[in-house]
């Protein structure tokens, strides 16, 4: 059977088998009197940012939240455009019937250096044909410390809109700090009025503090506990951000309301540790997962190991919301980024092992994982489309071998771009050996897959990262890579007879005493321990201390709540002593 027919048949089969690649809507509410520019497409042929930069939607140039100086304070925005000057962003407006363009203009507040800083100037143009432009607005010079400027530009009857940010100098070094921002950029109708109301159930931190202090250090239970958790959530994410999200879409509003009013869920989320990206991204991911899989959270059936499905699915959703707030990528190709909605369904299907008597992952341990522990499953450094393939390959072709040396020879003479791994004439050979069509594994140059490493070999990095991936896909258990002197190793999770988590060294050379951070541990460590200024050198062994705390989970959770309470009284030494 030829490659093309196999791919067509396998694609059809996978469409029937894996209907899980669903993308929950993040669109704004249906509205006829405004639309955000970041929600519609700009003309990529006519738009550009400064050399070495790109046009960013709803984030700044560092993939963080857009922030401007407003009324002498930092103001974060969940919507907007960022295009490093000199830059131009062109929109075709012919399909849109709006009267004005509005935005808060400025340079992102992260750019505070005065060294060779010439600032940015903004120009806004309209056109009938996209060639001849009429200037509608020009600004004074903005710096990262400048107050943002709200603009409202008439675009009636215009067919094109061009947003220009100029680096304000002819010198090559003039654009070092020119992070131009169009925050809350919108097209609006004449009758549009900005919604300045607040969502009542989202309160300020000061309001929560007043409520909590009225009950003055009572036992952390009941409504008092819920208020404490809500206060911590609002402090972590930001009051303005939560208000903006809740007003932006019903999906966000429903997700925030669910999280903030379900005490057990909120407790699990906060005890799960800081997001690998931002809290804003975490809430966005959580909204996608909650919107798509809300019915799973009502599944009160019991697994064969005595776990309520809804409890398991909640932990999976929360752990993914925290890990996928950053970019979870395939170690072999950083452009292949995991989708949390897809990954959730993959692990759900592996756990259910429908049509098979044998479990496909270690279900009993998987079900017992805390949110923090499960994060080290969900952030396994493999692309989504290879998870099921690797699980089945290990199980069926390698008899469950978990050592990476059972798959890869140690060698420095590898070359993963050889034509033999991508040529049409070799497809049937590789398909027969690695079952590519059965699992719809892409076969194209520039899209390397793990089986090519199996063929070519690797040094310690490829071996250990593969070992980590095997543990995360075949076992469904926590894993991550660590550094050792001139070496990459990995660590993997098991449990003792009492259900206590244990971290083990894989492809080990130097032991725990000389193990440091790499890959995900560079982003954050378990419990967020071992990342502060108090650590140095070979500090991966902090995960052993963190795991000891996870093994006493109820006590760990209560300790976290005591720290939340102490934060309320951080300026009251007498209360803190109590």
């Amino acid at each position: 059977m030829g490659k093309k027919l196999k791919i067509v048949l396998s694609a059809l089969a996978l469409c029937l088998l894996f209907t899980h690649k669903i993308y929950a809507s993040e669109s704004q509410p249906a509205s006829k009197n405004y639309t955000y520019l970041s929600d519609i497409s700009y003309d990529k042929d006519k738009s550009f940012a400064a050399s070495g930069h790109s046009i960013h939607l709803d984030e700044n140039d560092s993939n963080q939240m857009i922030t401007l100086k407003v009324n002498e304070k930092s103001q974060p925005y969940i919507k907007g455009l960022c295009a490093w000057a000199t830059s131009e962003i062109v929109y075709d407006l012919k399909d849109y019937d709006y009267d004005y363009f509005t935005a808060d203009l400025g340079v992102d507040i992260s750019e505070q250096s005065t060294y060779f800083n010439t600032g940015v100037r903004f120009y806004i143009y309209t056109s009938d044909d996209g060639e001849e432009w009429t200037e509608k607005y020009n600004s004074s010079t903005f710096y990262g410390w400048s107050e943002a400027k709200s603009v409202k530009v008439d675009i009636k009857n215009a067919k094109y809109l061009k947003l220009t940010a100029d680096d304000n100098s002819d010198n090559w070094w003039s654009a070092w700090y020119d992070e131009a921002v169009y925050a809350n950029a919108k097209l609006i109708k004449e009758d549009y009025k900005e919604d300045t109301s607040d969502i009542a159930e989202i309160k300020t931190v000061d309001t929560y503090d007043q409520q909590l202090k009225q009950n003055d250090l009572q036992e952390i239970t009941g409504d008092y506990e819920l208020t404490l958790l809500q206060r911590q959530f609002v402090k972590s994410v930001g009051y303005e951000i939560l208000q903006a999200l809740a007003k932006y879409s019903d999906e966000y509003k429903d997700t925030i309301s669910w999280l903030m009013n379900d005490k057990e869920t909120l407790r699990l989320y906060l005890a799960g540790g800081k997001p690998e990206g931002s809290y804003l991204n975490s809430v966005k991911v959580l909204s996608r997962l909650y919107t798509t899989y809300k019915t799973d959270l009502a599944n009160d059936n019991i697994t064969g190991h005595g776990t309520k499905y809804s409890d398991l699915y909640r932990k999976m959703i929360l752990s993914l919301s925290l890990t996928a707030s950053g970019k979870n990528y395939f170690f072999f190709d950083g452009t292949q980024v995991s989708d949390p909605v897809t990954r959730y369904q993959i692990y759900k299907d592996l756990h259910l092992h429908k049509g098979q008597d044998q479990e496909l992952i270690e279900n009993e341990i998987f079900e017992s994982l805390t949110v923090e522990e499960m994060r080290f499953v969900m952030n396994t450094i493999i692309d989504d489309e290879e998870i099921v393939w690797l699980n089945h390959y290990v199980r069926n072709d390698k008899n469950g071998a978990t050592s990476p040396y059972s798959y890869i020879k140690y060698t420095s003479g590898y070359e993963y771009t050889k034509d033999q791994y991508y040529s049409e004439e070799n497809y049937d050979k590789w398909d027969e050996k690695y079952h590519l069509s059965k699992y719809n594994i892409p076969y194209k140059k520039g899209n390397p897959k793990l089986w090519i490493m199996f063929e070519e070999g690797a040094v310690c990095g490829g071996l250990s990262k593969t070992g980590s991936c095997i543990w995360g896909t075949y076992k469904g258990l926590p894993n991550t890579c660590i550094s050792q002197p001139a070496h990459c190793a990995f660590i993997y999770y098991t449990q003792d007879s009492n259900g206590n988590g244990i971290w083990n060294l894989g492809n080990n050379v130097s032991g725990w005493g000389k193990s440091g951070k790499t890959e995900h541990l560079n982003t954050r460590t378990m419990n967020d321990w071992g990342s502060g200024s108090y650590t140095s050198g070979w500090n991966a062994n902090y995960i052993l201390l963190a795991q000891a705390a996870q093994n006493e989970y109820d006590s760990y959770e209560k300790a976290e709540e005591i720290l939340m309470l102490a934060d309320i009284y951080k300026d009251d030494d007498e209360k803190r002593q109590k």
Side-chain angles (χ1 to χ4, degrees), residues 23-42:
Y23 295 88
S25 171
E26 289 189 358
S27 62
Q28 65 192 70
S31 174
K32 294 182 179 179
N33 65 355
Y34 80 98
T35 190
Y36 284 100
L37 277 185
S38 56
D39 289 339
I40 63 178
S41 298
Y42 59 85

Side-chain angles (χ1 to χ4, degrees), residues 296-302 308-310:
D296 284 357
L297 298 173
N299 185 346
D300 289 333
N301 293 319
I302 306 297
K308 190 182 291 186
Y309 279 103
S310 58

Side-chain angles (χ1 to χ4, degrees), residues 440-472:
N440 203 29
I441 303 300
Y443 184 81
K444 59 181 179 180
K445 197 99 171 183
N447 192 206
K449 294 299 176 184
L450 198 53
W451 66 268
I452 299 176
M453 185 175 285
F454 292 177
E455 288 292 320
E456 277 291 298
V459 292
C460 58
L463 282 154
S464 290
K465 292 169 187 178
T466 298
S468 182
C469 288
I470 290 170
W471 205 254

